[in-house]
Amino acid sequence: MFGPKSKDSVFFSAFSEHALRSVEAAKILLEMLEHPDRKETLALDVGEKEAAGDRLTHDTMKHLHETWITPLDRFDIHNLISRLDDVLDLVDAVAERLVLFEIKAARPPAIELARVLIKSCEHLERGMRLFPQLTGKNKELLEICVEINRLENEADGIYRRAIAELFRNGNDPIEVMKWRDIFDNLEEATDRCEDVANIVEGVVLEYA
C-alpha cells in the first residue's frame, strides 16, 4: 500500500529524509569549493549530514528486517536506501579530500560538477517526497528520473573535459593525483543519483 497513512510510511519518510540530507550536504560542498578558506569548518557540517544519513540507513535496515509485509519489494527498499546512502557517502568523501589534500583553490570543473550534483540531489529529494503517491504521480516521477539521467550525462561530459585538462603537460603530478581523486568521487556521486532514479523507475513501472 502506498501513501503517508500506511503503517509502512517509515520507509518513505526515511527515503525523503535521506535525500534531503544529500541536498544539504551537496550545497555545503559547493560552498567549500567556492570558499576553500572555510573548508575545515564546512567539512564538519558535511560529516554531520553523512552521520545522520548513516543513522537513517541503519534504522531503515532494522525496520526492514523486523517488518513482515512491506509496501514494496524488500530488495527495492534495500537497494534504494543503500544507493541513497552511497550518494551522501561520496559527498562526504569529497569534503574530506578537500581538507586532507589541503586544497587552496578549486578547479572550475569541480564547481560545475558540484552544481550538477546539487540539481541531481534536489530532483531525488522531490522524487522521494512524491514516492508515497506513486500510483497518482507516476508520470511526474518518471520525468524526474529522466532529468536525473540527463544530469548524469551532463556530469560525464564535465568530468571528461576536467580529466583531459588535468592530464595536460605541465600540471604538477601530485596535484593531478589529488584532483583525479576528487573528480572521480564527484562524478561517481552523480552516478549513484542515477542508480536511485533507475530503481525508482523500475518500481514505478512495476506498481503503476
Side-chain angles (χ1 to χ4, degrees), residues 124-170:
L124 279 185
E125 194 272 332
R126 180 164 162 257
M128 292 301 97
R129 279 190 284 109
L130 293 175
F131 207 31
Q133 308 168 54
L134 184 149
T135 52
K137 298 287 185 178
N138 55 331
K139 181 179 178 182
E140 198 169 347
L141 280 164
L142 289 174
E143 288 172 352
I144 288 171
C145 292
V146 169
E147 179 60 14
I148 291 172
N149 289 334
R150 187 196 69 77
L151 288 165
E152 193 277 333
N153 288 333
E154 182 179 339
D156 278 350
I158 296 169
Y159 172 80
R160 286 191 293 268
R161 293 195 302 272
I163 295 301
E165 179 184 324
L166 191 62
F167 279 87
R168 283 179 186 152
N169 291 334

Side-chain angles (χ1 to χ4, degrees), residues 18-55:
H18 210 307
L20 180 58
R21 298 291 86 76
S22 289
V23 172
E24 294 169 343
K27 287 181 177 178
I28 297 170
L29 180 62
L30 176 60
E31 194 173 352
M32 288 180 70
L33 289 164
E34 292 178 332
H35 304 281
D37 55 308
R38 298 171 52 207
K39 60 182 178 291
E40 287 82 4
T41 301
L42 292 170
L44 294 175
D45 294 338
V46 174
E48 289 178 3
K49 304 299 181 185
E50 191 274 336
D54 281 346
R55 290 191 294 271

